[in-house]
Amino acid sequence: MKKVVLITATILVILYILWSFFFVAEHASDEVTISKARISKEVETKVKSQVTKSGTKPSEGTKQADPEDFKDSSGCINDPNFLSVFKRLDALGIGQANLVGRGHYQELNLSSLASYADAGEPDAMFLYGLELVWKGLFGMYQTKHYREHPVGSTSFKESLKNHKVDLSKVREGEKYLFKSAVQGKLLALGEIAAYFAISVKSLKKQEESEDQIKRYLVESHAYTLLMKDVFKNDYSLLESLTIDNKSLDTTLKIAFPDGVPQGVEADLINKAQNRFKELKEKWRSSREYFGYDVYPDLFTTDEEELYITCS
């Protein structure tokens, strides 16, 4: 039983960014590509190589990971350091309770959730930001008791089919998600990148202007760059949880199914780099305002190796 619980917990943290897509994939007529988290063998080798080259000693109270200890995963189950790393990763997102829709804030009515978000509570900002983005993109809230129509009903399907993307709602949700990331929910940056990528497909289907679609391509790529930058001190661990929320190439194919016009990709990348610089400065000033490290170093090299080895 203990082994099952631990494995389940590990899967939950890897899938936390994807959780809000599952409902759409199951019920929406609009197909949403869900890319899978993967543990890269190259990353594992890279981390182990870094440990060997640097001669890094395990942090105080941390057992250094040895691949021989984890052949049958019993070493992971019995190692309290693995659970510690998992819990800290979980805290960077929405948390397991919210993942399954049973979090404290999800039990509140929407106006109360908004009040907590406006008061600056990180979990509330994260969840309320997601609610706004969902409403903007899909015309419904993600939490069941906030929805106007029962899932699977005719009215639900019609509402989803006829919905036009409300970009103001998406942008409003982005602001709450960004603020929650500033105050510790770092993986909210991945949510923003993912939803901007999804908005490209929605905007394409409702025949929005090419300029509007390009704008959201730029935003998605810029936030991806920001997330990589923010996690640069724990980058190997971030790679082990890689969620390809729609790479730029994939999203370009959605935006331009007949082929990307010459010069468009280079122009978008250049604009995304400029937007990334703006976001990077906004991140720096916001983190410093609250007295946080601009580039947090959340996990030791040994902890990163331990998590990769056990996952």
Side-chain angles (χ1 to χ4, degrees):
M1 177 61 74
K2 186 176 182 181
K3 182 175 181 179
V4 172
V5 171
L6 185 55
I7 292 173
T8 300
T10 304
I11 292 172
L12 285 175
V13 76
I14 293 174
L15 295 179
Y16 99 95
I17 290 180
L18 297 175
W19 79 285
S20 51
F21 296 160
F22 289 164
F23 173 82
V24 177
E26 181 178 359
H27 296 289
S29 57
D30 178 25
E31 296 178 4
V32 177
T33 300
I34 303 175
S35 300
K36 299 187 178 183
R38 62 187 182 276
I39 303 297
S40 169
K41 196 68 180 176
E42 294 178 5
V43 175
E44 183 177 336
T45 302
K46 176 182 175 183
V47 175
K48 291 174 182 176
S49 174
Q50 290 173 342
V51 173
T52 301
K53 290 178 181 178
S54 65
T56 304
K57 295 181 180 179
S59 58
E60 184 177 350
T62 302
K63 175 185 174 183
Q64 186 168 10
D66 181 347
E68 292 298 316
D69 292 342
F70 305 110
K71 284 183 177 179
D72 61 359
S73 78
S74 61
C76 298
I77 295 172
N78 296 319
D79 194 329
N81 295 307
F82 176 57
L83 186 57
S84 173
V85 173
F86 161 71
K87 287 181 177 179
R88 279 184 285 150
L89 272 172
D90 191 49
L92 299 181
I94 57 175
Q96 294 180 74
N98 293 310
L99 181 66
V100 296
R102 297 177 182 174
H104 164 69
Y105 288 110
Q106 289 171 315
E107 296 176 356
L108 303 175
N109 59 46
L110 193 60
S111 61
S112 295
L113 176 62
S115 296
Y116 278 104
D118 289 334
E121 208 294 316
D123 280 309
M125 288 191 291
F126 198 129
L127 289 166
Y128 188 57
L130 288 180
E131 294 292 354
L132 291 172
V133 170
W134 264 67
K135 186 65 173 174
L137 280 179
F138 310 120
M140 62 180 175
Y141 294 110
Q142 62 168 342
T143 299
K144 184 176 180 180
H145 64 268
Y146 297 157
R147 299 185 195 133
E148 295 92 340
H149 308 289
V151 176
S153 66
T154 301
S155 57
F156 170 84
K157 294 176 182 177
E158 285 299 315
S159 174
L160 193 63
K161 180 180 178 180
N162 298 324
H163 176 69
K164 299 295 183 182
V165 176
D166 183 344
L167 295 177
S168 64
K169 276 277 192 295
V170 176
R171 283 294 190 182
E172 189 180 0
E174 171 201 1
K175 292 177 182 177
Y176 282 99
L177 286 167
F178 186 89
K179 289 178 181 178
S180 74
V182 167
Q183 295 197 50
K185 300 296 178 180
L186 304 182
L187 295 174
L189 299 175
E191 293 279 3
I192 300 173
Y195 282 112
F196 275 138
I198 289 174
S199 70
V200 169
K201 183 171 185 177
S202 299
L203 292 171
K204 183 70 177 178
K205 290 188 73 172
Q206 66 186 45
E207 299 181 341
E208 286 289 337
S209 69
E210 187 173 294
D211 285 343
Q212 186 76 283
I213 292 171
K214 287 180 179 178
R215 194 170 299 125
Y216 280 76
L217 276 164
V218 167
E219 290 292 332
S220 179
H221 192 53
Y223 268 103
T224 299
L225 295 175
L226 179 64
M227 188 172 181
K228 290 179 178 179
D229 188 58
V230 167
F231 273 87
K232 63 184 177 183
N233 288 329
D234 296 297
Y235 194 68
S236 295
L237 190 143
L238 177 65
E239 283 187 308
S240 79
L241 298 175
T242 294
I243 308 293
D244 184 1
N245 291 318
K246 282 183 184 295
S247 66
L248 180 60
D249 288 342
T250 301
T251 317
L252 279 169
K253 289 176 183 177
I254 292 172
F256 303 100
D258 298 324
V260 182
Q262 186 174 3
V264 167
E265 183 172 359
D267 180 57
L268 288 172
I269 290 174
N270 181 58
K271 289 178 178 177
Q273 285 286 351
N274 291 332
R275 175 60 174 152
F276 161 62
K277 291 176 183 177
E278 294 176 359
L279 291 171
K280 185 175 180 177
E281 175 56 27
K282 181 181 178 182
W283 175 263
R284 182 198 63 75
S285 61
S286 298
R287 291 283 289 183
E288 289 181 347
Y289 175 82
F290 287 102
Y292 300 141
D293 291 335
V294 177
Y295 297 107
D297 191 357
L298 303 169
F299 304 92
T300 67
T301 304
D302 293 330
E303 288 173 330
E304 292 184 46
E305 185 190 23
L306 175 66
Y307 190 83
I308 292 169
T309 305
C310 288
S311 297

